Amino acid sequence: MRSRFAFTLLPLTLVAGQQIATLTAEVHPSLTWQTCTAPGSCTTNNGKVVLDANWRWLHSTDGSTNCYTGNTWDATLCPDDATCAKNCALDGADYSGTYGITASGSSLKLNFVTQSGQKNVGSRLYLLADDNNYQMFNMLNQEFTFDVDVSHLPCGLNGALYMSGMVADGGMAQFPTNKAGAKYGVGYCDSQCPRDLKFINGQANVDGWTPSSNNPNTGVGNHGSCCAEMDIWEANSISTALTPHAADTPQQTMCTGDACGGTYSSSRYGGTTDPDGCDFNSYRMGNTTFYGPSMTVDTTSKFTVVTQFLTDDGTAKGTLSEIKRFYVQNGVVIPNSESDIAGVTGNSITTSFCDAQKTAFNDKNVFADHGGMAAMGKAFEAGMVLVMSLWDDYYAHALWLDSTYPTDGAATSPGVARGTCATTSGVPSDVESADAAAYVVYENIKVGAINSTFGSA
Ligand SMILES: *[C@@H]1O[C@H](CO)[C@@H](O)[C@H](O)[C@H]1NC(C)=O
Ligand SMILES: *[C@@H]1O[C@H](CO)[C@@H](O)[C@H](O)[C@H]1NC(C)=O
């Protein structure tokens, strides 16, 4: 039901594919975030963010010939996966100029469309611990809190803040032909096992590459990159979803062809991950007045999102048992809405919630098939990387988030209505022109003990 496709057209800079280039210096924007032990007891961490490799200019290691133009590979530089990784370099990024990404203090703003000689659409960034390593998170018995401004995110856009089972160095140690690593945003994976990545496991994704029929910048290769994914936040001003996605192997693994499953493959459930997840979207759970403009959680102004990851024994060694959500707006703590769906109770994600929801919505329980809550907890134990992105959806127009989906389903049938957006909304060519000025702001990230990051401080 989701995909991650956004893209840039030939950024004007250089680094090595799996090599690195320095026509533009790679200067990671600084972003502070906090670690808390009790309300008011927080320490500040000086983090940085890095742009994903797929958005970067990829060119010949010794010059400036494009290795990838539009949505096709250069046949000379990239005749096959291994040669391409040797011949091509990823370059540094002009974060604000080319990509519309600006960071200040604890605040990160991602613009939707940026015109600078070429058109860039959206972005995907990762939080770094240092210039060469991603910050790793284990959220068991912890909570994650941030402020978000979705007021300029219309139907069809997804401002997403989530965690993926990427490895800390972006795969450099495991795959020596990967010379770029976390410093250049290499090593992405998620529960859709994305096959649009240009590099996976130290090799290019040239073999079998089919340029997209509707996206001028992307394509689908023979390999995909799988891992567990915890969607803390996927949202626009109309709808939001909180969704754990389990995986048989929590950390990054390469898959091949349609055996990858997920959005990019013909057999959605053919892989080793759970592409659907177990979602809590208040509208889909029957409360149509909870989240939106001027609603209980008023999306016309900024608010705080708190997500707690509780374990069965109340320690970080326990098994993940419940994912709870609170909002805070204008000083008021707002518990998540309760399910209004017959047969489904509660306002949090637990195994019994997921089982009941899948039954009520007549959805295949792929979350349980891949280990459910316990598997999500295993992914935290292995360590996950924080991802912040803004994208539009070339596969399903984000209708799975904010509209009636499937579009031929009856909106009265449980689980089909997810938001008030029209089934004709979210078409990339429409939103990229009409809503080019859209943006999202993520700020004041805090991670810590349960109940330590919000409320009375
Ligand atoms: C929606 O949620 C709000 C806040 O929790 C609550 O006051 C309202 O009664 C809910 N509406 C329905 C239809 O459940
Ligand atoms: C956190 O706060 C909630 C609501 O006030 C309370 O029910 C819960 O027991 C608290 N949890 C911990 C671990 O302090």
Side-chain angles (χ1 to χ4, degrees):
M1 303 187 187
R2 58 211 62 201
S3 57
R4 296 184 149 117
F5 254 71
F7 291 79
T8 184
L9 325 208
L10 348 181
L12 326 157
T13 19
L14 323 182
V15 187
Q18 288 279 254
Q19 314 300 311
I20 56 169
T22 53
L23 297 190
T24 293
E26 175 63 13
V27 182
H28 298 134
S30 294
L31 184 72
T32 61
W33 60 284
Q34 294 193 308
T35 310
C36 305
T37 51
S41 296
C42 300
T43 55
T44 299
N45 304 297
N46 295 308
K48 292 179 178 184
V49 291
V50 61
L51 177 69
D52 180 86
N54 251 30
W55 272 255
R56 295 169 182 273
W57 185 22
L58 181 64
H59 60 81
S60 53
T61 307
D62 53 4
S64 57
T65 306
N66 286 344
C67 283
Y68 183 95
T69 304
N71 55 19
T72 53
W73 296 89
D74 180 89
T76 307
L77 290 165
C78 291
D80 58 71
D81 291 351
T83 308
C84 186
K86 225 175 282 162
N87 287 345
C88 300
L90 292 164
D91 216 315
D94 174 349
Y95 282 81
S96 60
T98 305
Y99 303 102
I101 298 162
T102 48
S104 172
S106 71
S107 178
L108 178 67
K109 182 181 182 200
L110 309 182
N111 289 345
F112 181 43
V113 176
T114 304
Q115 290 291 169
S116 66
Q118 62 244 312
K119 172 189 174 194
N120 177 72
V121 178
S123 57
R124 184 166 69 216
L125 294 104
Y126 311 115
L127 184 66
L128 290 165
D130 59 51
D131 283 316
N132 300 303
N133 292 284
Y134 298 125
Q135 176 69 46
M136 302 305 287
F137 289 96
N138 174 358
M139 295 308 305
L140 291 173
N141 196 38
Q142 298 271 296
E143 66 190 22
F144 188 100
T145 294
F146 66 105
D147 296 344
V148 69
D149 180 353
V150 295
S151 64
H152 288 78
L153 288 185
C155 295
L157 272 66
N158 183 358
L161 181 151
Y162 58 106
M163 290 183 179
S164 272
M166 298 159 67
V167 300
D169 70 354
M172 286 180 80
Q174 205 184 343
F175 305 103
T177 50
N178 171 0
K179 306 290 187 206
K183 183 173 184 186
Y184 291 90
V186 171
Y188 184 68
C189 55
D190 68 33
S191 61
Q192 304 304 327
C193 300
R195 291 169 60 184
D196 61 330
L197 300 175
K198 294 174 197 159
F199 293 94
I200 302 173
N201 289 14
Q203 61 186 58
N205 202 6
V206 178
D207 297 335
W209 185 266
T210 305
S212 167
S213 59
N214 67 346
N215 188 321
N217 302 300
T218 67
V220 169
N222 201 33
H223 290 123
S225 187
C226 309
C227 60
E229 172 182 350
M230 177 63 230
D231 291 327
I232 293 175
W233 187 250
E234 291 193 287
N236 53 38
S237 58
I238 305 300
S239 293
T240 184
L242 164 66
T243 314
H245 294 262
D248 299 350
T249 305
Q251 283 201 300
Q252 193 273 339
T253 34
M254 187 168 81
C255 59
T256 302
D258 285 332
C260 289
T263 300
Y264 307 81
S265 298
S266 59
S267 55
R268 182 172 179 84
Y269 303 127
T272 59
T273 62
D274 153 36
D276 292 358
C278 170
D279 63 303
F280 200 111
N281 166 337
S282 292
Y283 193 101
R284 193 178 187 216
M285 297 316 299
N287 194 322
T288 60
T289 61
F290 182 71
Y291 178 92
S294 305
M295 296 193 186
T296 306
V297 176
D298 179 6
T299 58
T300 63
S301 68
K302 206 182 282 186
F303 52 87
T304 302
V305 180
V306 181
T307 311
Q308 300 183 326
F309 299 90
L310 308 179
T311 61
D312 58 354
D313 67 356
T315 78
K317 302 265 176 250
T319 299
L320 180 65
S321 58
E322 183 175 14
I323 303 174
K324 277 181 90 99
R325 161 62 50 81
F326 296 93
Y327 296 89
V328 186
Q329 193 168 36
N330 303 320
V332 179
V333 176
I334 307 167
N336 193 25
S337 60
E338 298 283 335
S339 166
D340 284 321
I341 301 296
V344 191
T345 55
N347 71 345
S348 64
I349 296 177
T350 60
T351 298
S352 58
F353 167 85
C354 297
D355 291 349
Q357 193 238 39
K358 297 289 183 185
T359 299
F361 291 170
N362 202 18
D363 285 339
K364 184 169 156 60
N365 198 344
V366 184
F367 179 63
D369 293 346
H370 293 284
M373 293 292 277
M376 191 71 248
K378 290 286 175 209
F380 282 135
E381 268 173 39
M384 300 190 85
V385 171
L386 179 65
V387 186
M388 289 171 281
S389 69
L390 174 56
W391 52 286
D392 57 350
D393 182 353
Y394 279 78
Y395 280 82
H397 307 170
L399 301 174
W400 53 269
L401 175 67
D402 61 23
S403 184
T404 299
Y405 192 80
T407 53
D408 59 359
T412 49
S413 150
V416 173
R418 298 138 191 270
T420 57
C421 297
T423 54
T424 51
S425 69
V427 176
S429 55
D430 294 342
V431 293
E432 287 171 25
S433 56
D435 304 310
Y439 65 86
V440 65
V441 179
Y442 303 113
E443 61 188 27
N444 292 325
I445 292 171
K446 295 181 189 178
V447 179
I450 300 299
N451 293 349
S452 70
T453 66
F454 70 110
S456 57

